[in-house]
Amino acid sequence: MKSIKDHCGIFGIFNMPDAARLTYFGLHALQHRGQESCGIVSSSYDSERQRKIMTAVRDFGLVLDVFDDPSLFQRTLKGSAAIGHTRYSTSGSSVNRANIQPFHVRYRDGNLTIAHNGNLSNASTLRRMFSEQGILFQSTSDTELILHLISQSRETNQLDQILDALSQVKGGYALALLTDDSLIAVRDPNGFRPLSIGKIQQPNDNGTQSYCIASETCAFDLIGAEYIRDVEPGEVIIINQESTESGTLHSRRLHRKNPVSQCVFEYIYFSRPDSLIYGEMVDKIRRKFGKQLAHDAPVPRVATEEKAPLVISVPDSSNTATLGFVSECQKLGYRCKYDIGLIRNHYVGRTFIAPGQDSREMRVRCKFNTVDGLLKDRIVVVVDDSIVRGTTAKLLVKMIRDAGAKEVHFRVASPTVISPCFYGMDFPSKDELLSSQFNDVNEIGKWLGVDSLAYLSIQSLKKAVSSAHDSPYGYCDACFTGNYPVPVDTCVSKDAYD
């Protein structure tokens, strides 16, 4: 499943020399969450102006490309606090430079910078309200709405202004905000999007604490930070000088109207397998998905004299689920062998192929290639993490058949996607979903060109998560069930105004 995109990854750090450089490494670890643009804003004290200033570097492209000049961190991005953002956009927004985050403003109470992962489900209502008030917009992102709500708040304290603004937004969001004196981490009351807190040792070891926040803990691993805990659903964490001296994090709470509904797709696709998400390793959960899939739809049985079915993954997000699937099939008495039958090219950008009639097929062929000698005359079972539109899966099946496979069976380590998401994933509209175009799984299988097709059941998905992680919170599965945990107004995509 390569057509769903999470919107972004966020990282922040406070009270650490060379904060922007560490943010750069944090963003590099989060590059998989957003590959169209990125940015860093750092905070430092200007002795001439005798006040805090914030400087930004933002551009289209990968982290390694945007920050390829080492002098940026000596000349521009100075200071002991910074936040960063990697972004995936939806339709049209890739040409809108104003949408590149983090956003920075200076208003009556000083500097304010924000980085946002997620979607506001009442964005269209808020935007309409501000438009009627004559408010001008600099971007087409719903993140800007939060800044307008903060600036218009009648609260006198900056933190109270932020809390007032957040009380008016709905949907899924994880936020990193940087003020003149604090780094603030926020997770929406439903906990849709993940956000973790880490601690890093200062080089001078002067007894004060340095803290960082990130969408995934793999960012902590790269900079040598220690994972402390997750930001709880509806929690607002304030990291300031007092926090660094006392080692105590200050916390406020947002009002919750609906039950906690953490996005289960973080486990299925978005997060790196080496990350700790919602308190559990992604790798462990994905292996559980694969094992449950083996119970729901194992490899086909073959005669003793035939070669065992070859099981291959669609790299990279389905790799660990495939390992779980193979090991459980073998445990259940099914003959099969795991091997690498698809090779992924990691250096293909989203704009690599020029538009044209064959651009989609060429994009898939530039991204994946088959190991022909391995697949020839074999029964091949392909395991993928999910199917949304199905176009990539259909082309991969064709490539595997062209490589000489005798049979092609497809197994999906998640349930059928039947509904779009409004909480921070770039799902297509319902009409574009593959499941909406066919009556049942058999028809989908015929369209894909496979000998058999099977999905993980929703019951098995829940069983896999609960057996791997005893979490006190529930999960959002609206994309599989159509049951939205938070009401959605006439929701417009974050970039629909481009």
Side-chain angles (χ1 to χ4, degrees):
M1 188 284 300
K2 306 295 174 269
S3 59
I4 291 182
K5 297 177 288 293
D6 193 21
H7 281 277
C8 43
I10 59 177
F11 183 90
I13 190 166
F14 188 84
N15 193 40
M16 190 68 185
D18 212 5
R21 186 177 64 86
L22 292 176
T23 301
Y24 160 81
F25 287 118
L27 294 184
H28 179 66
L30 299 173
Q31 186 71 87
H32 60 287
R33 298 186 73 90
Q35 300 175 21
E36 287 194 348
S37 64
C38 59
I40 295 175
V41 175
S42 65
S43 174
S44 60
Y45 183 77
D46 188 323
S47 56
E48 292 184 4
R49 304 182 203 179
Q50 293 189 342
R51 64 176 174 86
K52 286 287 185 71
I53 63 170
M54 292 190 181
T55 51
V57 174
R58 294 180 289 252
D59 208 345
F60 296 113
L62 303 177
V63 175
L64 291 174
D65 297 328
V66 172
F67 300 97
D68 62 344
D69 181 0
S71 67
L72 286 173
F73 300 99
Q74 285 85 45
R75 294 185 292 102
T76 306
L77 297 172
K78 298 181 290 185
S80 60
I83 65 173
H85 187 270
T86 63
R87 183 170 187 268
Y88 254 134
S89 63
T90 54
S91 161
S93 65
S94 59
V95 298
N96 192 338
R97 184 172 291 275
N99 286 338
I100 302 177
Q101 295 188 35
F103 290 166
H104 168 238
V105 296
R106 182 171 177 83
Y107 75 126
R108 66 183 184 275
D109 287 323
N111 290 291
L112 179 64
T113 296
I114 186 171
H116 173 202
N117 172 28
N119 259 7
L120 304 184
S121 58
N122 64 334
S124 58
T125 298
L126 292 172
R127 185 174 286 268
R128 187 164 52 249
M129 177 189 73
F130 283 130
S131 296
E132 291 170 355
Q133 295 174 6
I135 299 295
L136 300 177
F137 294 97
Q138 298 297 315
S139 73
T140 60
S141 169
D142 57 2
T143 310
E144 186 180 354
L145 298 171
I146 301 174
L147 291 176
H148 286 302
L149 288 169
I150 294 172
S151 67
Q152 290 201 349
S153 173
R154 296 184 179 182
E155 299 289 343
T156 56
N157 177 277
Q158 192 175 40
L159 176 59
D160 289 335
Q161 293 166 8
I162 293 170
L163 294 172
D164 181 33
L166 295 177
S167 70
Q168 301 175 65
V169 300
K170 302 175 183 177
Y173 56 85
L175 305 175
L177 299 104
L178 189 62
T179 71
D180 285 332
D181 58 15
S182 301
L183 171 64
I184 300 173
V186 185
R187 196 165 163 216
D188 71 82
N190 294 87
F192 285 113
R193 309 262 65 86
L195 192 59
S196 300
I197 309 168
K199 182 170 64 175
I200 185 169
Q201 187 69 37
Q202 285 201 351
N204 56 11
D205 195 19
N206 59 8
T208 62
Q209 306 293 319
S210 296
Y211 293 98
C212 50
I213 59 172
S215 296
E216 295 184 35
T217 59
C218 61
F220 299 157
D221 299 335
L222 187 57
I223 64 171
E226 175 191 355
Y227 166 76
I228 299 175
R229 66 176 179 88
D230 285 356
V231 178
E232 294 294 321
E235 188 177 22
V236 180
I237 294 288
I238 303 98
I239 303 169
N240 52 28
Q241 200 61 39
E242 182 183 342
S243 305
T244 63
E245 293 172 357
S246 66
T248 302
L249 296 174
H250 302 285
S251 176
R252 300 282 290 273
R253 293 283 176 174
L254 301 174
H255 178 65
R256 181 184 301 138
K257 297 180 180 179
N258 307 99
V260 171
S261 304
Q262 301 174 132
C263 175
V264 76
F265 235 100
E266 289 286 348
Y267 283 140
I268 293 169
Y269 176 67
F270 294 133
S271 301
R272 274 177 34 170
D274 53 333
S275 285
L276 192 74
I277 296 293
Y278 310 141
E280 188 53 81
M281 290 300 299
V282 175
D283 175 83
K284 180 179 178 181
I285 300 287
R286 287 186 183 161
R287 287 175 190 263
K288 291 284 187 178
F289 289 154
K291 290 180 178 181
Q292 286 299 138
L293 180 62
H295 288 271
D296 286 358
V299 298
R301 289 197 183 275
V302 295
T304 307
E305 64 272 13
E306 283 193 84
K307 288 185 177 180
L310 200 64
V311 183
I312 65 173
S313 65
V314 178
D316 291 313
S317 54
S318 61
N319 289 349
T320 49
T322 304
L323 291 173
F325 176 77
V326 170
S327 65
E328 194 69 9
C329 281
Q330 292 172 343
K331 188 182 296 185
L332 293 171
Y334 290 85
R335 292 174 58 227
C336 61
K337 177 188 176 184
Y338 172 74
D339 216 320
I340 300 172
L342 286 171
I343 305 298
R344 182 182 177 189
N345 181 355
H346 291 84
Y347 304 97
V348 178
R350 298 189 71 223
T351 58
F352 179 74
I353 304 297
Q357 187 175 3
D358 63 343
S359 63
R360 182 175 295 277
E361 181 170 354
M362 284 305 299
R363 190 184 302 276
V364 174
R365 288 187 177 277
C366 286
K367 195 170 185 178
F368 298 102
N369 196 28
T370 54
V371 183
D372 292 6
L374 178 71
L375 303 177
K376 186 175 176 58
D377 298 325
R378 297 297 295 270
I379 297 174
V380 178
V381 180
V382 185
V383 178
D384 204 355
D385 50 79
S386 53
I387 298 179
V388 185
R389 292 183 177 91
T391 48
T392 297
K394 184 180 178 71
L395 289 169
L396 287 176
V397 170
K398 180 179 183 298
M399 290 170 62
I400 293 168
R401 288 213 183 272
D402 290 344
K406 183 167 65 173
E407 296 179 16
V408 181
H409 303 265
F410 215 99
R411 300 291 182 264
V412 187
S414 65
T416 308
V417 176
I418 65 170
S419 301
C421 174
F422 300 107
Y423 308 127
M425 292 186 292
D426 179 22
F427 270 26
S429 66
K430 189 175 180 66
D431 291 340
E432 292 180 278
L433 295 172
L434 184 62
S435 61
S436 298
Q437 302 170 34
F438 299 96
N439 294 322
D440 56 35
V441 173
N442 290 331
E443 288 189 9
I444 296 175
K446 290 179 182 178
W447 181 81
L448 291 175
V450 296
D451 293 276
S452 71
L453 169 67
Y455 293 82
L456 184 70
S457 68
I458 188 68
Q459 294 79 12
S460 293
L461 175 80
K462 294 178 179 179
K463 183 178 180 180
V465 174
S466 62
S467 66
H469 181 39
D470 185 20
S471 172
Y473 300 125
Y475 294 89
C476 176
D477 56 14
C479 52
F480 304 127
T481 63
N483 299 322
Y484 293 99
V486 174
V488 179
D489 64 14
T490 309
C491 186
V492 182
S493 168
K494 152 179 295 201
D495 306 300
Y497 293 87
D498 287 347

